[in-house]
Amino acid sequence: MKVPASLALLLPMVACTPAKPPAVTQARVFFVAPADGMLAGDTVHIQLGAEGVKIVAATGKRVEGEAHHHLFIDTDPTADTVMIPKNDAIRHLGTGADTISLVLAPGTHRIIAVAAWGDHVPVAGAVRDTVTIEVPAAVIKP
């Protein structure tokens, strides 16, 4: 079979076209520990993970693909367009850390992990994670 000259000239170009780059994973943050529903002592050790975003120290600026962790403790997260405030119910891990220890009062606590840009505004569309833990009224210390 004879290939037309115009088609023969296009074949090398098609063969050299680079493959489509892989899709960027949607940013998400998650709890490595504690497990949801865990019975905890009054000091809760939290370890966070992330995918689709690099966890770095907050710089005050937005850098694509970089964020840091925030924890909302017994409060709802702010909207994705609003700077996350500083108060007792919101912990900023602005150093780029992925671990923190929290001292919590007895009771049930809901903790939500949120990724935010360097300017402390949540990464729009990033998947958040939530755990609920129970701190018993009588924590027995060893």
Side-chain angles (χ1 to χ4, degrees):
M1 175 171 150
K2 190 171 183 180
V3 177
S6 59
L7 183 59
L9 291 174
L10 290 176
L11 287 175
M13 289 174 52
V14 171
C16 293
T17 302
K20 195 175 190 179
V24 175
T25 304
Q26 180 181 15
R28 82 176 187 103
V29 292
F30 55 91
F31 287 91
V32 174
D36 190 40
M38 181 179 143
L39 186 64
D42 61 348
T43 301
V44 180
H45 303 287
I46 295 177
Q47 182 177 0
L48 301 162
E51 292 179 348
V53 66
K54 182 179 178 183
I55 300 300
V56 298
T59 62
K61 299 179 183 179
R62 291 187 188 197
V63 177
E64 189 64 34
E66 295 183 354
H68 63 283
H69 293 292
H70 289 79
L71 296 174
F72 288 77
I73 305 159
D74 299 326
T75 191
D76 292 329
T78 57
D80 284 348
T81 56
V82 178
M83 180 183 285
I84 299 171
K86 290 185 178 183
N87 62 45
D88 291 340
I90 302 170
R91 299 296 171 97
H92 294 250
L93 282 72
T95 63
D98 61 2
T99 59
I100 188 171
S101 293
L102 302 175
V103 176
L104 299 173
T108 301
H109 299 280
R110 178 184 66 150
I111 306 171
I112 303 170
V114 175
W117 302 111
D119 62 359
H120 300 282
V121 174
V123 175
V127 177
R128 301 166 176 187
D129 195 14
T130 303
V131 294
T132 301
I133 60 168
E134 180 73 26
V135 176
V139 176
I140 299 171
K141 301 246 183 205

